[in-house]
Amino acid sequence: MSAIRFDASKQYYATSSLVVGYALCSSLLAVINKFAITNFNYPGLLTALQYLTSALGVWVLGKFGLLHHDPFTLENAKKFLPAAFIFYLAIFTNTNLLCHANVDTFIVFRSCTPLLVAVADTAFREQPCPSKLTFLSLVVILGGAVGYVATDSGFTLTAYSWAFAYLVTITTEMVYIKHMVTNLGLNTWGFVFYNNLLSLMMAPLFWIITGEYVEVFIAMGSNGGTLFNPVAFIAVSLSCVFGLLISFFGFAARKAISATAFTVTGVVNKFLTVAINVLIWDKHASPFGLMCLLFTIAGGVLYQQSVTGVSTTPPQWDSAMSKQDNKNDHHNYGDSDEEKGISGKISGL
């Protein structure tokens, strides 16, 4: 029995560490990306540099034996390609949204995803329907978002077009990549490597479609062949480093908790993002808009509390049994048992 409790405790702390790592990276990355895109107004090239840093970083660290990732095979690449394409679209729309709107608007639309992901999880992945309290918490998140939009003085058609495109793609990405993580069988660094390498291969196509390559060549010609001033170089470098970190923590957290819990974790940690944004940017929401934004975060906390009460089994035993079940059936990995035993215990993160 003591061995079971030790394993359960070890699993809980390991999962908590992954979620904390993801929360910190996610909290900072929106502000860092806004800083980067403000000083380096080439969203397609910026995302490509992030993919290059992540894929190359995993490959180099693997060569030095500091980590292990699954080798690249054409068969796995074909299976993962649709997920990588959806991921690319999500990052592409995210970056363009930050180009045309402030960080608060990005956070609000990001906050709408838990409700949509919960519905999609039930409809397409045959997950249990949310409880009444859980569904109420998700509606609270949506209500806060609606209140923000109604008072957004920075509303523009371009910004909100990118916002709705981002909302659709990020919801699809959350559910579909959770499906791939559950069923494809790659390790965490393998997912990071495949995801960023395949996304990097897609980048030239989007440069051509958007015409950004013309702007890049013009800028290089007018600036003596360089695109980076010192501030832009620092901003892009930070963005690339945090892109690699969130790739690892993101995939690791996806494997440990359910898609909806993962999504809400990304919403709740935006409180830190809001605080940083208010301190360093002059273009942020009105006081009432900030209250609506905090309302969505409160809904995220309520959601986590509602999940805590789902399981009638003691969390330590539930986590241990979930671990044993995962060894026997990898198709259930990280779904309902993990949500009951682990995600409820990280409600304060």
Side-chain angles (χ1 to χ4, degrees), residues 118-136:
V119 173
D121 245 357
T122 301
F124 300 109
R125 300 187 63 246
E126 300 180 354
Q127 296 298 299
C129 293
S131 67
K132 292 181 179 179
L133 181 59
T134 301
F135 190 80
L136 174 63

Side-chain angles (χ1 to χ4, degrees), residues 78-148:
K78 289 180 179 179
K79 292 178 181 179
F80 196 76
L81 184 60
F85 180 72
I86 295 171
F87 173 82
Y88 187 98
L89 288 179
I91 299 300
F92 182 76
T93 54
N94 172 12
T95 307
N96 280 278
L97 171 58
L98 288 172
C99 280
H100 297 92
N102 58 35
V103 175
D104 295 331
T105 302
F106 159 72
I107 294 174
V108 164
F109 277 87
R110 178 68 170 78
S111 301
C112 292
T113 56
L115 178 60
L116 298 179
V117 169
V119 173
D121 245 357
T122 301
F124 300 109
R125 300 187 63 246
E126 300 180 354
Q127 296 298 299
C129 293
S131 67
K132 292 181 179 179
L133 181 59
T134 301
F135 190 80
L136 174 63
S137 67
L138 297 173
V139 173
V140 169
I141 294 174
L142 180 61
V146 171
Y148 175 89

